[in-house]
Amino acid sequence: MRSFINYLLTIALFIAVIVTIAVFTVGSLTSPSSTRKILDSLDYEVIVNDFKDTDYGTEIYNYADSYGVSEEQVDSILQTEEAKDYVNEILQQGIDSYLNDGSIEINDETREFIDKANEKYELNLDDNEKSELETYANDAINNNLNIVINGTSSDDSDEEVSSSGQFLVDIIKICRDDSLHTTLYIVIGVIALLLFISSFKKKNFLEYIGIVSITVSISTLLFNGLVSLISDRMSSVANATIILKPVTDTFYMITFIGIILGIVLLVIQHFINKRVNKEVVPF
């Protein structure tokens, strides 16, 4: 009977850990480190070329050209690490505003980026030129992002997309909720404590934790394998693969840590089983 309870607690602990990993993974999908990984996965040469074809991009290049900054220089600037950091900051502000039904206003970040580009590439922009470029960039970014964040449409298909998008927003909000994180910690702690008490007589607590650790590792590895299989067979999910890269990277790390931890715990349990006093604990 006690062994049966232990197995039930082990299954419950596995489920609680998997749910916790899923919650933290989805919640961290919009974190600065995750969006930065996504940006690093993109082909910036293609992105810059596409950017040139937009009205906003054309205007930026025209402004730069009027200041004596060549198209090649702008191309190079937009592919630097500083540019990625700048875009990442814009993404973070846009995400936070979208999730919290707010508005976005990029100002200081643009000024800092222009100053860095001016110094690094010796563009020799004076204060007035930097101010003009900053004002245009800020107005364009703020206006376009606020339209995306707060925009509405009467088209049925757009309403369906909006509804789906809102569902995703709600899921991310839930997964970023600190109270949910605390609840999951408590659930895992309580289950682990009950498992420890229930397995104390046989002193095989580490065996159950090791099994959970390895099982979680296998589950995350299977998930990554499924994502890779889908991306190999369906080119249409290429963008989804890029977006999910931070998730797969996290799961690979969990797989590695989980397997090592599980093996270590099972080895320790093996020595405990060999050396432990066989006296029965009176409860």
Side-chain angles (χ1 to χ4, degrees):
M1 181 64 180
R2 190 182 294 270
S3 297
F4 177 72
I5 293 175
N6 289 347
Y7 284 122
L8 287 181
L9 289 172
T10 302
I11 294 172
L13 183 60
F14 165 76
I15 294 173
V17 171
I18 285 293
V19 170
T20 301
I21 291 173
V23 167
F24 274 92
T25 301
V26 174
S28 66
L29 191 59
T30 56
S31 69
S33 60
S34 294
T35 53
R36 190 62 167 80
K37 285 182 180 179
I38 292 173
L39 292 175
D40 288 336
S41 303
L42 301 176
D43 187 340
Y44 259 69
E45 185 175 352
V46 174
I47 292 176
V48 169
N49 288 331
D50 290 341
F51 175 69
K52 291 181 188 178
D53 295 333
T54 65
D55 293 338
Y56 169 50
T58 300
E59 196 67 25
I60 286 289
Y61 274 81
N62 289 338
Y63 265 99
D65 183 64
S66 68
Y67 302 146
V69 182
S70 68
E71 179 179 333
E72 290 74 18
Q73 285 178 304
V74 178
D75 289 347
S76 298
I77 291 171
L78 293 180
Q79 297 181 57
T80 60
E81 293 301 309
E82 290 82 3
K84 294 180 183 179
D85 289 339
Y86 173 58
V87 172
N88 196 39
E89 180 61 34
I90 294 175
L91 279 175
Q92 282 302 305
Q93 291 199 33
I95 289 170
D96 288 340
S97 298
Y98 190 71
L99 292 177
N100 298 302
D101 299 321
S103 60
I104 184 171
E105 186 152 346
I106 300 292
N107 290 309
D108 296 339
E109 294 78 8
T110 303
R111 185 182 306 113
E112 181 179 352
F113 173 58
I114 293 175
D115 285 339
K116 286 181 179 179
N118 190 42
E119 179 179 354
K120 182 175 181 178
Y121 285 85
E122 299 180 349
L123 303 179
N124 299 318
L125 298 176
D126 59 34
D127 290 340
N128 183 56
E129 291 171 335
K130 288 192 293 184
S131 179
E132 287 181 351
L133 187 58
E134 175 191 337
T135 298
Y136 175 77
N138 283 336
D139 288 345
I141 292 172
N142 293 332
N143 291 337
N144 288 329
L145 283 181
N146 280 313
I147 289 173
V148 172
I149 292 169
N150 302 309
T152 58
S153 173
S154 59
D155 185 80
D156 290 341
S157 60
D158 287 343
E159 287 181 2
E160 183 178 349
V161 172
S162 177
S163 176
S164 301
Q166 186 58 47
F167 174 75
L168 179 59
V169 168
D170 292 339
I171 292 296
I172 293 176
K173 282 183 178 180
I174 291 173
C175 291
R176 290 173 58 164
D177 187 1
D178 290 337
S179 61
L180 176 60
H181 298 169
T182 302
T183 301
L184 290 172
Y185 289 146
I186 293 173
V187 169
I188 290 176
V190 169
I191 295 175
L193 179 60
L194 292 175
L195 183 58
F196 175 78
I197 294 173
S198 181
S199 60
F200 186 71
K201 182 177 181 179
K202 291 186 176 181
K203 296 181 174 60
N204 59 346
F205 173 71
L206 294 183
E207 178 183 346
Y208 294 113
I209 300 300
I211 291 173
V212 169
S213 180
I214 292 177
T215 307
V216 168
S217 300
I218 294 173
S219 299
T220 56
L221 186 62
L222 289 175
F223 171 81
N224 279 344
L226 180 61
V227 172
S228 299
L229 179 63
I230 293 175
S231 61
D232 289 341
R233 292 177 176 270
M234 298 176 61
S235 59
S236 60
V237 299
N239 292 334
T241 302
I242 292 175
I243 294 173
L244 288 174
K245 187 180 187 305
V247 176
T248 56
D249 287 347
T250 299
F251 277 13
Y252 278 128
M253 181 182 65
I254 292 172
T255 299
F256 176 76
I257 294 175
I259 289 177
I260 297 300
L261 179 61
I263 292 174
V264 169
L265 292 176
L266 291 178
V267 169
I268 294 174
Q269 183 65 61
H270 172 73
F271 285 105
I272 290 175
N273 291 340
K274 289 182 64 174
R275 300 182 182 183
V276 72
N277 190 332
K278 301 301 182 179
E279 180 182 354
V280 177
V281 178
F283 70 90

